[in-house]
Every structure is written in C-alpha cells, then in structure tokens.
Amino acid sequence: MITQKIGARIRELRTQLGISQEKFAMKIGMDRTYFASVELGKRNISIVNIEKIANGLGVSLSELFQNI
C-alpha cells in the first residue's frame, strides 16, 4: 500500500538524521501521534503535510518519493 511505503521512506530519512519522532513532529509543527501514524502508513496524508515533512527532512519531493 502506498501509505505504508511513504511512511517507511519518511521513517528511513528521519532516522538517518538521528531525530526522534517527537522532536521531528515538533520541528515541523505536527502532532506527534499524527506523525507516528503517518510513519506507520495509517494516514492518507495530504500533499501539504507531505511537503512539510520533506522540508523538515531537507529533501525534495522527488527525493522523498525515491524508490516508491
């Protein structure tokens, strides 16, 4: 499922930065429980929130969707 693939990719990039879910969610102005559910692939996340996450990770949208 696409939501799980995106969530796994976000988790991969976040862990490469060495930042916790809580700190990352605070950094991008997102609720931690919402962000956790995104990483688990349980949310049909909006493009606006995808852009927030990509910006917080310091990657382009194309890099975020790489290999998905």
Side-chain angles (χ1 to χ4, degrees):
M1 188 170 218
I2 189 76
T3 55
Q4 292 170 334
K5 290 178 182 180
I6 293 170
R9 177 70 174 151
I10 291 168
R11 182 174 39 255
E12 172 189 4
L13 294 169
R14 178 186 55 78
T15 56
Q16 286 176 6
L17 292 176
I19 190 169
S20 70
Q21 280 184 343
E22 184 175 8
K23 287 184 181 181
F24 185 76
M26 286 178 54
K27 175 182 176 179
I28 63 170
M30 192 174 285
D31 181 76
R32 188 206 57 81
T33 57
Y34 177 84
F35 181 72
S37 65
V38 168
E39 282 196 351
L40 291 171
K42 294 183 177 183
R43 293 279 179 171
N44 186 8
I45 187 169
S46 72
I47 193 69
V48 171
N49 284 333
I50 290 171
E51 183 180 41
K52 274 187 189 180
I53 291 169
N55 289 339
L57 292 168
V59 298
S60 67
L61 291 174
S62 61
E63 287 174 292
L64 181 62
F65 285 94
Q66 187 176 346
N67 300 323
I68 292 179

